[in-house]
Amino acid sequence: MSQKGVVLRGAPGAGAAVGIDLGTTFSVVGACRRGRVEIFANDSGNRTTPSIVGFLDGASFIGDAAKDLPADNQVIDAKRLVGRQWSDPNIQKDRKMWPFEVVENNGVPMIRVDVGGRKETFAPEEISAMVLRDLKSTAEAALGQSVSKAVVTVPAYFNERQRQATKDACEDPTRSLHTACVSRVRRALKSRSLSAGTIAGLEVLSMINEPTAAAIAYGLDKGKSAGAAKTVFIYDLGGGTFDASVMKIVGGEFRVLASGGDTHLGGQDFDVLLVEHCLKDAARQLGADLAQDKQAVQDLRRACELAKRKLSSTPQAQISVFFSRINKGYQTTVTRAFFEDLCSKLFQKTIDLSKEVLSDAKVTTGQVDDVVLVGGSTRIPKVRALLRDMFGGKDLRQSINPDEAVAYGAAVHAAVLNGDKFYDKMVQLKDVTPLSLGILIVGGRFSCVIKKNSPIPCKNTQRYYTAYEYQSAIMCSKIYQGERPLVKDNHYLNKDLTIEVPELPAGQACIDTTFEIDASGLLTVTNVEPTSGRKVELKITPQEAHLSEKDIQAAIERAKKFSREDEDALRKVEEQLRRQRLFENDSRIT
């Protein structure tokens, strides 16, 4: 099953549609008009809007206005909370660095802030909805008309829960909230006190993966989509997430060959390492432990982020902060070499993940035509040097703005789905299955019907024969997802069906099993007994088949780790089946 998002085609010409890059640290909105893509500037004149919501004296502030507020009045990094569980170790680690309080509500992390002298609890989806509402207003001001539809981008490895939570933030965040929070939101809506920012009011035409959107921007840049076939590697390192994708671009068709990444790896993590270093250094210099002072931590975090940015263009940067609680100032100089050494493990992790994606795509570095940089953190010189070394000195594509590429591609996709004929024939997206899909056959073996990284939509049919004498029925649809040769090691989709077959000697009766995945990620499994035409069918939605990015990566890693043990186990099973005369071309089914 695809984890990559559901496409819902809108009615042509039914209102303006925009593309939104809802980022961890910054967000961008754009749209297509008069045959070109425009990225819109906000009220402050900036084309990127900080993904920050602030509260002061009972009023809410978004973006640049919120960034100017005291740190303890801000909510940042809401994207890192969306769709996650309270037990997530990353949540427990991050909350120590955030200026706001994170509390648990029925196993879900919630945000608690001071609003007009009283404590209010928000779901992360509500905070994201406020940012989305601001982006919508920015687009409406630029277009001079209302905006009702959007294509919203998400990290390639967002799981189904995170994708649904993001969709709720666009359309109605109360859908994913718990009862207490829903009641509070509804009361607020009734009084109109939060109506300007709580409901984004956008119909989601599609949720597209960030590297796929960036590939569209690359493909349309300087008319590349009209040229020869290209194999492109998208390296997307933003503020909060890392994505890597290998794509084949042929004309206007964008086909994902493989994707990988980490939804908790980006510029924010580099900042945290620098903050932790400075807290220890400040404790030594000033004789004060500031780790529990949230205002001090946030002031230091801002200074560290600024220093990190400066280090991309200068060999050293100064960090200077005055801590009002202890009435002392802290100052230190950080060199680029020190910063690179501090973050070296995280930088290397992006390279290791990139190599895995290339391996999954069965593409060598030499077969990659272009390496495209996306995300603000790709400006870090060491990141570029590591990537260049990985590709044997190949030049890195920097012709598209790394901050705007994702929103650019989303805007084009929005235009296509909204009926824009100019782009309709220029862009066709092709996604892939993250794991193999197949069924249980005799001996507890996994028979793969659709292979991992098969392009979506896809369809395949295989014939299976009876294993025992005079079987009257076949258990035809015990469906599994994974890469291991025995089904006990794969993910069971909990769908069982039987089909009647003629009572014949073993190996003579058969069924034809077809797996088909449509463009929306819906899996249809059809089993047909050919002599009678008898048929049974079932459907599995993306939600039913979803695995988190962690689960998918773990499944792939386990398959690699236990490949030798799996070969031995499969060999023993096959030897046993031969003795029982049940092994024949992996096609016997009970």
Side-chain angles (χ1 to χ4, degrees):
M1 291 295 297
S2 171
Q3 309 289 317
K4 311 296 186 185
V6 177
V7 173
L8 303 172
R9 186 172 289 273
V18 297
I20 294 176
D21 173 12
L22 182 63
T24 306
T25 52
F26 289 93
S27 296
V28 186
V29 61
C32 297
R33 60 175 173 175
R34 294 188 289 272
R36 65 189 184 93
V37 180
E38 295 182 33
I39 302 298
F40 303 129
N42 58 27
D43 289 342
S44 301
N46 299 318
R47 288 154 69 100
T48 58
T49 296
S51 302
I52 302 174
V53 174
F55 300 92
L56 185 65
D57 298 329
S60 60
F61 300 83
I62 317 293
D64 292 303
K67 195 172 185 180
D68 293 334
L69 297 178
D72 55 2
N73 292 92
Q74 296 179 4
V75 177
I76 61 174
D77 297 355
K79 185 174 178 178
R80 286 198 157 180
L81 285 161
V82 167
R84 292 190 180 271
Q85 299 296 302
W86 172 258
S87 58
D88 189 322
N90 287 321
I91 298 296
Q92 298 308 313
K93 180 182 177 182
D94 288 345
R95 61 191 284 256
K96 298 174 184 177
M97 284 284 180
W98 284 324
F100 51 89
E101 186 180 3
V102 181
V103 297
E104 187 222 358
N105 186 342
N106 293 335
V108 175
M110 305 287 280
I111 296 164
R112 181 173 290 167
V113 293
D114 186 282
V115 181
R118 68 184 184 279
K119 290 290 185 179
E120 291 281 7
T121 302
F122 294 88
E125 293 87 345
E126 292 181 88
I127 301 300
S128 293
M130 294 179 190
V131 176
L132 286 161
R133 180 75 182 190
D134 187 72
L135 296 171
K136 177 185 175 184
S137 297
T138 293
E140 289 176 335
L143 292 169
Q145 66 178 108
S146 64
V147 171
S148 59
K149 291 173 283 189
V151 166
V152 180
T153 64
V154 291
Y157 260 42
F158 251 25
N159 62 31
E160 194 63 38
R161 184 184 295 111
Q162 290 168 305
R163 290 169 188 270
Q164 186 60 49
T166 303
K167 188 170 186 289
D168 289 343
C170 298
E171 297 180 343
D172 182 358
T174 62
R175 273 189 223 157
S176 60
L177 310 185
H178 294 291
T179 305
C181 192
V182 170
S183 299
R184 185 193 61 73
V185 172
R186 286 175 178 166
R187 287 197 305 273
L189 289 173
K190 189 174 182 180
S191 66
R192 310 305 294 171
S193 62
L194 290 173
S195 60
T198 302
I199 303 297
L202 289 167
E203 175 194 351
V204 179
L205 296 176
S206 173
M207 301 191 72
I208 183 176
N209 290 336
E210 290 165 3
T212 304
I216 294 175
Y218 159 83
L220 296 180
D221 180 50
K222 298 180 182 179
K224 291 185 179 66
S225 62
K230 282 184 177 287
T231 300
V232 180
F233 182 80
I234 309 292
Y235 180 95
D236 183 357
L237 184 60
T241 61
F242 170 68
D243 278 316
S245 287
V246 181
M247 302 193 72
K248 178 75 74 173
I249 302 178
V250 184
E253 182 178 292
F254 296 77
R255 174 167 291 175
V256 181
L257 301 183
S259 290
D262 191 324
T263 59
H264 201 277
L265 175 58
Q268 299 282 57
D269 302 288
F270 310 148
D271 297 343
V272 167
L273 289 178
L274 199 50
V275 169
E276 289 173 345
H277 161 75
C278 289
L279 283 172
K280 292 177 183 177
D281 189 47
R284 181 184 56 80
Q285 277 191 35
L286 308 177
D289 183 3
L290 298 165
Q292 304 307 313
D293 185 338
K294 291 198 172 187
Q295 183 62 53
V297 170
Q298 292 312 305
D299 289 343
L300 190 54
R301 185 169 179 168
R302 287 178 178 177
C304 288
E305 181 187 1
L306 182 61
K308 176 192 70 177
R309 292 174 182 271
K310 286 183 178 179
L311 288 173
S312 291
S313 57
T314 62
Q316 63 182 39
Q318 193 174 74
I319 296 172
S320 182
V321 182
F322 182 78
F323 299 118
S324 56
R325 184 174 67 82
I326 61 172
N327 200 33
K328 291 182 180 180
Y330 168 73
Q331 188 169 307
T332 188
T333 299
V334 179
T335 65
R336 181 185 292 175
F338 174 81
F339 174 71
E340 290 173 352
D341 183 64
L342 186 69
C343 301
S344 59
K345 290 184 179 179
L346 294 182
F347 293 162
Q348 186 59 45
K349 187 176 182 180
T350 70
I351 300 301
D352 294 341
L353 289 169
S354 296
K355 290 177 179 178
E356 288 180 14
V357 171
L358 285 169
S359 176
D360 289 344
K362 295 179 174 58
V363 170
T364 67
T365 54
Q367 292 172 318
V368 172
D369 295 300
D370 282 328
V371 180
V372 180
L373 300 180
V374 182
S377 296
T378 59
R379 292 187 173 91
I380 297 173
K382 185 63 173 180
V383 167
R384 294 188 176 190
L386 288 170
L387 198 57
R388 196 176 288 111
D389 288 346
M390 174 183 163
F391 283 92
K394 187 187 296 289
D395 288 337
L396 308 178
R397 287 288 176 180
Q398 304 169 47
S399 59
I400 57 176
N401 187 320
D403 295 322
E404 299 177 2
V406 171
Y408 187 109
V412 172
H413 194 40
V416 171
L417 297 182
N418 203 40
D420 189 323
K421 300 301 181 184
F422 182 82
Y423 289 102
D424 195 34
K425 294 182 180 179
M426 295 174 65
V427 178
Q428 299 175 35
L429 298 182
K430 301 289 184 181
D431 227 323
V432 297
T433 57
L435 290 172
S436 299
L437 287 156
I439 66 171
L440 164 69
I441 60 173
V442 69
R445 292 172 297 154
F446 176 68
S447 176
C448 178
V449 181
I450 291 182
K451 293 182 179 179
K452 172 190 170 188
N453 284 327
S454 294
I456 293 174
C458 56
K459 182 178 181 180
N460 190 37
T461 300
Q462 290 188 189
R463 175 162 285 189
Y464 295 98
Y465 296 87
T466 52
Y468 301 110
E469 298 289 306
Y470 304 105
Q471 280 181 232
S472 61
I474 286 177
M475 180 66 76
C476 59
S477 294
K478 292 184 78 73
I479 301 170
Y480 290 81
Q481 189 177 26
E483 304 306 315
R484 309 284 291 277
L486 300 180
V487 295
K488 68 181 180 63
D489 299 314
N490 290 327
H491 177 60
Y492 179 41
L493 293 183
N494 196 32
K495 293 286 183 177
D496 295 346
L497 279 180
T498 58
I499 186 171
E500 293 181 7
V501 294
E503 296 185 26
L504 297 171
Q508 292 189 18
C510 66
I511 59 169
D512 292 323
T513 297
T514 301
F515 278 35
E516 181 174 9
I517 302 177
D518 67 15
S520 71
L522 178 71
L523 170 65
T524 301
V525 180
T526 306
N527 298 279
V528 178
E529 195 285 301
T531 60
S532 66
R534 188 179 294 110
K535 179 172 74 171
V536 294
E537 182 179 278
L538 63 85
K539 296 181 184 294
I540 301 175
T541 67
Q543 291 81 2
E544 290 176 302
H546 86 272
L547 287 174
S548 69
E549 80 281 359
K550 182 179 178 181
D551 291 335
I552 292 171
Q553 194 60 36
I556 294 170
E557 289 299 322
R558 283 195 299 270
K560 293 177 181 177
K561 181 179 180 180
F562 296 108
S563 59
R564 181 166 295 180
E565 290 90 336
D566 284 344
E567 287 177 8
D568 292 340
L570 183 61
R571 191 179 302 112
K572 290 178 182 178
V573 169
E574 290 175 349
E575 287 174 357
Q576 183 178 358
L577 292 174
R578 284 191 181 94
R579 288 195 295 270
Q580 298 173 0
R581 298 183 179 181
L582 290 174
F583 179 72
E584 185 178 342
N585 299 325
D586 286 341
S587 60
R588 298 295 182 98
I589 191 168
T590 57

